[in-house]
């Protein structure tokens, strides 16, 4: 099939037949679903590959600026539907399959999620690739081809167990191996320095080499013209070690092989938490060294010189995980290109930019210097020199304030601080929501901010809303298209036009019907998977995100316990039927988080057993929450629980996915909730809880959670249930944590959260008001498009232009 020429149904059918017979030796009549999936995947992949080639030719011709997005995680989910949609081929594919008596929807279900990420950070990277391709930027994402992605979660009597996620059988359809772009990565060993006249040779000797083999995944933009590439590196032993062989040490030779390949075996399953293992540091350097070598090769092959690198290349570090890109670039310029320090440092710092994703101490990355030095001896030397020079400069700028300089140093007290390395080595440091970017300047990076104010920026996160609205919620998309035209599918700001219909009773009724249909569909899925019958006319109150104390799923649970007591004490009270839906994975070693999951499940069991409450309040805990589950869930939510302690959630993106599908946010003024509030106004959001500055003053004045226990009978009742036990299991660890330290001020926010829920109950009953609120959330969600985020990065940080013009 030819590129940039519309594909007819006949051509599509022939191509599919050809794939089926050539690759799988079957005729359409004999092919099973898996074979159809793979054949379709190959067919679509060919089209994407052609389009990428075309796009790339234009990039080269126009000498367009390349954007490289480095991230340890890309939570891609499924690709087939997204690719067909963006190529405008979904209808043709559906018809062709239907002629063979196959439902396209059933083929979609054969695809495993590419779960190469934990949660928000990795999903953001995936949404940004969509935005980059749609904006026609020359873009490449770099990450690792983990053999096992995020674990599959199985709940056994409410207790989380983890199963390996072997996604490659099925997921590999989208990957194109690029063996000729293989590069070598060096670990361990030591440094040999020598002088050759004036030339200083630095050599790493006795190292262990690992090969990085790239696999490319193509990501098409909305009109299918711009195509981004996600390049995933796989670790491979560089052929058996002949020395060991010749010494007769066959076992050690094979063992070394296995050691090399373990680097990309599995994704570390912790979210917003530091992982201090040496294998994790190896993963980070493996990603960085492979990607930077690749970037340099690509640049030199076109321009033959590195002097224009900052003009032609932008490298974005998504969090500090790929921060070693800074010393790795220096290493190549110094050791391999023979450049001087000042020239190299100028090029590096004008090329690299850093996005911060958290202000929580336990998530800020540090490495023991001795481990760092033994694994990466040359990188360690370079980091030492970066630190020496930066400290000297900062000493001058602060007028000799050694306390401040020590706070900003990269190496101090035997630890290497990755955040400080990232700030020092970047020309731009951005937070991911307005509030978060302000907190960075006020607290974590305050000293840096006073010295280098021009570095600090904000880019509020955004989502690939064509996936999260157009593909996931076709009925709502159809209604919007009918009322405001199709322009919103490529220009999210046009969603604003939907606001005009706020008093149109027919539109509000249609909105209600669509929400109900989505709730019925979700109810059917829930019943199929867990046997629980949920009432589609109950309020669907949703909290889905990683399980973390700061996100406060336990606050939600305590409120449910309070509601339970209230119903028991007031059997005739007017309580609206309510379904509380949870979905969350906990890091496998995060004990309290696993306890919270079990507590929620046990409360659910208790409610279900009680005929007096079970038709009023219900809990559904969705197993194995992931992108594909989220896609079905978002369109069916009434209430979006965004209840983190103010000042702890950097942005959130789940809040945006729920908002654009018409859910009402019940939240604190944290992360992007602040901007959601601004977009919809006081009347269309339900806020509660301490503000970020109030959290700070309460902490400063000595926070005592017991006070709230003593003063609120419902809170006391709920906490006491935790120690008495729920369905035979006590939750004293949670109780004690809340009563003694309560690091995330659950107790302080309980009462106002309770009040906010009562308000939700009340307004949900007024259907016109509720539907109108829902409408304003959809209409106000346009600014949370990843297209907008990417345009801001391109304009304010990368200084990159779209490659294609209208004529292209
Ligand atoms: C969007 C998304 C997240 C992030 O959710 P937050 O509520 O922003 O933390 C996590 N996991 C999946 C599967 C997602 O799609």
């Amino acid at each position: 099939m030819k590129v940039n020429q519309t594909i007819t149904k006949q051509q599509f059918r022939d191509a599919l037949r050809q794939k089926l017979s050539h690759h799988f030796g079957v005729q359409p009549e004999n092919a099973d679903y898996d074979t159809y999936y793979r054949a379709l995947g190959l067919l679509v992949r060919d089209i994407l590959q052609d389009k990428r080639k075309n796009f790339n030719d234009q990039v080269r011709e126009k000498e367009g600026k390349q954007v490289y997005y480095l991230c340890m995680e890309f939570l891609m989910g499924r690709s087939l539907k997204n690719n067909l949609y963006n190529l405008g081929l979904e209808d043709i594919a559906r018809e062709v399959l239907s002629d063979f008596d196959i439902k396209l929807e059933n083929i979609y279900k054969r695809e495993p999620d590419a779960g190469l990420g934990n949660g928000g950070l990795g999903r953001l990277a995936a949404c940004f690739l969509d935005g980059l391709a749609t904006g026609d930027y020359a873009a490449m994402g770099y990450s690792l081809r983990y053999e096992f992605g995020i674990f599959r979660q199985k709940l056994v009597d409410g207790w989380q167990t983890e199963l390996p996620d072997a996604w490659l059988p099925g997921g590999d359809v989208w990957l194109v191996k690029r063996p000729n772009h293989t590069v070598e990565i060096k670990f361990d060993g030591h440094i040999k320095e020598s002088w050759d006249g004036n030339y200083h040779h630095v050599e790493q000797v006795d190292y262990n080499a690992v090969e990085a083999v790239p696999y490319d995944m193509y990501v098409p933009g909305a009109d299918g013209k711009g195509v981004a590439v996600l390049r995933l590196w796989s670790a491979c032993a560089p052929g058996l070690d002949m020395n060991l062989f010749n010494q007769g040490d066959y076992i050690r030779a094979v063992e070394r092989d296995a050691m090399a390949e373990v680097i990309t075996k599995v994704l570390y399953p912790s979210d917003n938490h530091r992982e201090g293992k040496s294998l994790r540091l190896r993963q980070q350097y493996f990603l960085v060294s492979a990607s930077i070598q690749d970037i340099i090769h690509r640049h030199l092959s076109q321009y033959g010189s590195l002097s224009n690198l900052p003009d032609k290349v932008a490298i974005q570090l998504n969090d500090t995980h790929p921060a070693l890109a800074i010393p790795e670039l220096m290493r190549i310029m110094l050791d391999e290109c023979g450049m001087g320090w000042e020239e190299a440092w100028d090029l590096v710092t004008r090329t690299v930019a850093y996005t911060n994703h958290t202000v929580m101490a336990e998530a800020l990355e540090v490495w023991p210097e001795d481990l760092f030095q033994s694994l990466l001896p040359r990188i360690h030397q370079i980091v030492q020199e970066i630190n020496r020079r930066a400290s000297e400069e900062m000493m001058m700028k602060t007028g000799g304030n050694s306390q401040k300089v020590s706070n900003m140093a990269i190496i101090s007290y035997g630890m290497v601080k990755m955040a400080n390395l990232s700030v020092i080595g970047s020309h731009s440091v951005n937070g991911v929501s307005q509030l978060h970017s302000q907190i960075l300047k006020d607290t974590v990076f305050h000293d840096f901010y006073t010295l280098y104010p021009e570095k600090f920026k904000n880019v509020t996160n955004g989502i690939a809303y064509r996936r999260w609205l157009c593909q996931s919620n076709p009925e709502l998309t159809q209604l919007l298209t009918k009322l405001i035209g199709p322009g919103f599918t490529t220009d999210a700001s046009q969603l604003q036009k939907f606001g005009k219909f706020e008093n149109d009773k027919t539109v509000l009724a249609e909105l209600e019907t669509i929400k109900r249909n989505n709730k019925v569909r979700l109810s059917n899925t829930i019943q199929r998977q867990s046997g629980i019958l949920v009432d589609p006319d109950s309020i669907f109150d949703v909290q889905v995100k990683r399980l973390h104390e700061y996100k406060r799923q336990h606050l939600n649970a305590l409120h449910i316990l309070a509601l339970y007591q209230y119903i028991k004490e007031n059997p005739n009270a007017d309580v609206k039927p309510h379904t509380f839906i949870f979905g969350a994975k906990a890091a496998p070693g995060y004990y309290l988080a696993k306890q919270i999951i079990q507590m929620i499940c046990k409360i659910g069991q208790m409610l279900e057993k009680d005929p007096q409450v079970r038709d009023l309040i219900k809990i559904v805990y969705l197993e194995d929450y992931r992108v594909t589950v989220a896609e079905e869930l978002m369109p069916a939510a009434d209430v979006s629980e965004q209840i983190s302690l103010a000042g702890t959630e950097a942005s959130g993106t789940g809040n945006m996915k729920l908002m654009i599908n018409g859910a009402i946010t019940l939240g604190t003024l944290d992360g992007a909730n602040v901007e959601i509030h601004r977009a919809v106004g006081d009347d269309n959001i339900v806020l509660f809880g301490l503000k970020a500055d109030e959290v700070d003053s309460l902490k400063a004045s000595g926070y005592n959670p017991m006070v709230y226990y003593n003063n609120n009978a419902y809170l006391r009742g709920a906490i006491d249930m935790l120690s008495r036990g729920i369905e035979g299991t006590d939750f004293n660890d949670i109780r004690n944590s809340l009563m003694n330290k309560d690091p995330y001020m659950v107790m302080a926010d309980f009462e106002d959260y309770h009040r906010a829920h009562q308000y939700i109950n009340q307004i949900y009953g007024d259907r016109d008001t509720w539907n109108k609120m829902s409408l304003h959330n959809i209409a106000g969600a346009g600014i949370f498009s990843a297209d907008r985020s990417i345009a801001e990065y391109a304009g304010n940080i990368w200084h990159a232009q779209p490659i294609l013009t209208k004529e292209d």
Side-chain angles (χ1 to χ4, degrees):
M1 278 181 282
K2 273 255 123 335
V3 200
N4 290 347
Q5 152 186 327
T6 45
I7 292 163
T8 65
K9 189 175 159 184
Q10 184 60 46
Q11 288 169 321
F12 195 93
R13 183 188 296 123
D14 293 347
L16 184 59
R17 270 187 192 284
Q18 196 268 340
K19 288 286 178 216
L20 283 170
S21 85
H22 187 265
H23 292 265
F24 307 97
V26 290
Q27 298 303 307
E29 304 72 54
N30 309 321
D32 60 12
Y33 284 3
D34 276 315
T35 311
Y36 266 110
Y37 159 68
R38 297 191 76 93
L40 263 177
L42 290 176
L43 193 169
V44 170
R45 198 182 81 182
D46 283 355
I47 299 173
L48 293 174
Q49 207 166 352
D50 276 0
K51 289 195 179 269
R52 170 69 184 186
K53 200 190 162 304
N54 254 20
F55 182 65
N56 234 0
D57 289 346
Q58 309 227 35
V59 175
R60 277 201 155 242
E61 189 187 307
K62 297 178 180 171
E63 303 195 337
K65 190 162 188 175
Q66 297 277 352
V67 174
Y68 296 112
Y69 199 82
L70 271 61
C71 187
M72 289 289 283
E73 309 187 4
F74 280 80
L75 191 52
M76 301 297 284
R78 288 177 178 161
S79 290
L80 180 57
K81 180 177 180 163
N82 183 253
N83 290 345
L84 285 174
Y85 174 91
N86 281 353
L87 292 170
L89 290 174
E90 208 188 13
D91 290 340
I92 286 184
R94 183 172 286 114
E95 288 170 26
V96 166
L97 286 181
S98 149
D99 293 345
F100 296 136
D101 247 354
I102 302 277
K103 275 210 183 80
L104 181 58
E105 309 303 319
N106 290 333
I107 303 304
Y108 289 154
K109 289 183 189 154
R110 309 312 293 182
E111 181 176 358
D113 271 37
L116 309 183
N118 276 283
L121 174 95
R123 186 53 229 175
L124 182 78
C127 285
F128 278 5
L129 280 184
D130 180 282
L132 282 161
T134 299
D136 296 327
Y137 297 98
M140 197 132 139
Y142 281 107
S143 196
L144 298 183
R145 194 199 69 146
Y146 304 106
E147 192 177 329
F148 299 101
I150 187 66
F151 62 83
R152 279 189 297 130
Q153 178 191 56
K154 207 166 167 46
L155 299 178
V156 180
D157 196 26
W159 191 255
Q160 172 180 294
T161 58
E162 299 89 23
L163 297 169
D165 164 49
W167 71 286
L168 281 171
D172 61 349
V173 177
W174 303 106
L175 302 180
V176 180
K177 189 175 181 177
R178 284 278 135 82
N180 51 332
H181 293 281
T182 298
V183 292
E184 187 184 73
I185 318 296
K186 296 176 183 175
F187 292 101
D188 317 307
H190 57 270
I191 302 304
K192 222 170 84 183
E193 300 187 47
S194 59
W195 287 92
D196 170 9
N198 276 335
Y199 196 76
H200 185 202
H201 283 288
V202 182
E203 204 191 344
Q204 189 171 344
V205 293
D206 300 332
Y207 58 83
N208 292 310
V210 181
E211 281 183 354
V213 183
Y215 289 76
D216 286 354
M217 187 172 168
Y218 299 97
V219 179
D223 60 2
K225 282 189 193 149
V227 180
V229 171
L230 175 56
R231 180 158 285 183
L232 300 171
W233 299 102
S234 180
C236 187
L240 283 187
D241 187 328
M242 284 328 248
N243 274 330
L244 287 178
F245 253 128
N246 297 339
Q247 292 159 24
D249 205 343
Y250 166 75
I251 292 294
R252 267 224 313 173
V254 174
E255 198 178 71
R256 188 172 281 189
D257 251 45
M259 291 286 286
E261 280 162 22
V262 87
I263 292 178
T264 51
K265 187 64 72 175
V266 59
L267 166 78
Y268 273 95
S270 56
D271 182 74
N272 265 299
H273 196 273
R274 166 183 351 122
E275 195 65 68
K277 300 286 191 298
S278 72
L279 180 58
R280 171 72 176 187
L281 184 56
R282 278 187 205 270
Q283 287 188 335
Q284 292 186 353
Y285 184 66
F286 181 80
L287 164 64
V288 157
S289 180
S291 308
I292 295 297
Q293 289 185 59
D294 198 51
I295 289 168
I296 297 284
H297 287 160
R298 287 166 57 86
H299 184 81
L300 287 177
S301 80
Q302 181 164 12
Y303 300 104
S305 153
L306 292 180
S307 62
N308 65 342
L309 191 76
D311 305 328
K312 297 297 174 191
V313 167
I315 297 175
Q316 192 69 34
L317 308 178
N318 200 28
D319 212 330
T320 59
H321 316 142
L324 296 176
I326 293 160
E328 177 68 2
L329 272 166
M330 289 299 287
R331 182 188 69 77
I332 292 175
M333 289 181 185
L334 298 171
D335 299 356
E336 293 179 16
C337 306
M339 220 181 264
W341 185 280
E342 277 85 11
E343 188 191 357
W345 184 245
D346 174 67
L347 294 176
V348 171
T349 51
R350 287 196 291 129
T351 302
V352 177
Y354 155 56
T355 304
N356 173 282
H357 281 272
T358 180
V359 297
M360 287 191 302
E362 67 268 30
L364 291 180
E365 283 197 298
V366 293
W367 294 103
E369 190 179 2
D370 50 1
L371 170 73
F372 193 92
Q373 175 168 21
S374 98
L375 232 69
L376 311 168
R378 180 58 183 149
I379 294 298
H380 174 253
Q381 281 186 332
I382 292 170
V383 170
Q384 275 184 321
E385 182 62 11
I386 295 174
N387 185 48
R388 193 188 65 75
R389 288 170 182 251
S391 297
E392 207 171 87
E393 179 180 304
M394 296 186 301
M395 207 59 155
M396 223 166 61
K397 285 190 164 230
T398 57
N401 189 329
S402 51
Q403 180 58 55
K404 282 190 177 173
V405 173
S406 161
N407 287 340
M408 293 184 285
I410 301 168
I411 306 176
S412 85
Y413 297 102
M415 296 301 245
V416 183
K417 299 179 174 174
M418 303 292 268
N420 291 357
L421 172 62
S422 302
V423 175
I424 289 168
S426 301
H427 63 85
S428 161
V429 177
N430 76 284
V432 290
S433 72
Q434 287 172 10
L435 176 67
H436 169 60
S437 295
Q438 192 58 46
I439 292 173
L440 289 181
K441 294 193 282 189
D442 293 344
T443 62
V444 224
F445 296 141
H446 180 72
D447 290 340
F448 279 120
Y449 176 60
T450 58
L451 299 193
Y452 308 100
E454 70 287 349
K455 281 193 187 186
F456 288 81
K457 298 175 187 177
N458 172 252
V459 182
T460 298
N461 284 167
I463 56 168
Y465 72 100
R466 284 168 292 275
R467 176 183 285 260
W468 294 107
L469 170 65
C470 307
Q471 296 161 36
S472 299
N473 199 341
E475 284 190 46
L476 178 54
T477 302
Q478 205 178 10
L479 175 67
L480 289 166
T481 308
K482 184 178 83 183
L483 296 173
I484 64 174
F488 76 94
T489 61
T490 45
D491 170 12
S493 71
Q494 292 189 27
L495 283 169
Q496 209 59 255
K497 297 189 210 162
F498 190 43
K500 281 191 310 223
F501 298 91
E502 61 173 354
N503 293 318
D504 187 324
K505 299 268 187 210
T506 334
V507 170
L508 294 180
E510 282 184 273
L511 205 51
E512 181 169 328
T513 306
I514 289 167
K515 182 63 79 180
R516 192 173 186 286
N517 293 344
N518 291 331
K519 288 165 75 175
V520 168
R521 271 188 284 272
L522 181 65
S523 305
N524 292 336
T525 304
I526 290 170
Q527 201 199 346
R528 228 178 313 114
Q529 284 172 6
S530 66
I532 302 177
L533 259 176
V534 303
D535 172 8
D537 292 313
S538 64
I539 302 175
F540 279 22
D541 184 313
V542 171
Q543 188 173 16
V544 286
K545 48 184 75 254
R546 280 300 286 253
L547 208 130
H548 219 296
E549 285 166 274
Y550 85 82
K551 293 178 183 277
R552 303 200 296 191
Q553 280 93 352
H554 47 342
L555 173 58
N556 192 340
L558 286 179
H559 165 256
I560 298 170
L561 284 177
L563 195 56
Y564 170 76
Q565 293 171 68
Y566 177 76
I567 295 169
K568 296 304 280 182
E569 289 162 13
N570 307 278
N572 300 317
D574 173 34
V575 176
K576 300 256 165 358
H578 220 115
T579 304
F580 295 95
I581 300 173
F582 291 86
K585 289 176 183 173
Y590 189 173
Y591 176 74
L592 207 67
K594 287 183 156 183
Q595 290 266 306
I596 293 171
I597 295 178
Q598 188 171 45
M599 171 176 73
I600 294 165
C601 293
K602 292 283 171 182
I603 298 172
Q605 285 175 19
M606 177 183 77
L607 302 179
E608 202 59 31
K609 272 191 183 166
D610 190 331
Q612 196 185 349
V613 294
R614 74 167 160 235
D615 294 329
L616 285 179
I617 52 176
K618 238 179 237 307
I619 289 179
V620 174
Y621 201 108
L622 295 171
E623 234 172 21
D624 202 31
Y625 178 60
R626 60 190 187 278
V627 170
T628 297
V629 173
E631 286 168 359
E632 187 171 354
L633 193 70
M634 300 299 172
D638 294 310
V639 178
S640 163
E641 298 264 359
Q642 306 300 336
I643 62 177
S644 52
L645 175 66
T648 63
E649 186 75 272
S651 163
T653 50
N655 47 3
M656 302 168 185
K657 300 168 197 166
L658 286 157
M659 174 193 193
I660 206 167
N661 280 285
I664 310 303
T665 302
L666 166 53
T668 49
L669 278 174
D670 197 18
N673 298 352
V674 176
E675 289 154 77
I676 292 179
H677 174 222
R678 202 168 305 138
V680 300
D682 288 337
D683 292 346
N684 300 303
I685 186 168
V686 181
L687 296 173
F688 76 95
L690 296 163
K691 320 277 188 291
D693 57 338
E694 294 168 344
V695 169
D696 292 340
S697 15
L698 185 54
K699 268 189 193 146
S701 66
Y703 174 60
N704 180 7
M706 288 280 278
V707 174
Y708 305 92
Y709 174 87
N710 291 326
N711 290 327
N712 187 310
Y714 281 108
L715 179 56
R716 191 159 60 243
I719 294 279
D720 288 349
M721 287 181 79
L722 301 188
S723 39
R724 275 207 310 278
I726 297 163
E727 294 300 292
T729 308
D730 78 71
F731 295 97
N732 277 312
D733 294 319
I734 300 172
R735 192 204 93 103
N736 295 340
S737 165
L738 291 173
M739 293 288 278
N740 298 329
K741 277 186 48 195
D742 191 16
Y744 300 102
M745 297 184 167
V746 169
M747 308 284 276
D749 272 346
F750 176 87
E751 187 163 297
D752 203 30
Y753 181 57
H754 192 96
R755 175 203 57 78
H757 260 295
Q758 286 173 327
Y759 180 63
I760 288 268
N761 248 286
Q762 179 204 320
I763 46 174
Y764 189 83
D766 180 352
R767 299 309 298 148
D768 277 352
T769 303
W770 187 272
N771 293 330
K772 190 165 151 178
M773 288 172 78
S774 178
L775 177 142
H776 281 299
N777 272 272
I778 299 162
I783 54 166
F784 300 111
S785 159
D787 301 342
R788 186 271 313 149
S789 302
I790 290 300
E792 289 184 15
Y793 276 99
N796 304 334
I797 297 175
W798 304 327
H799 308 294
Q801 271 80 46
I803 299 301
L804 303 179
T805 57
K806 283 214 157 56
E807 295 78 63
D808 296 316

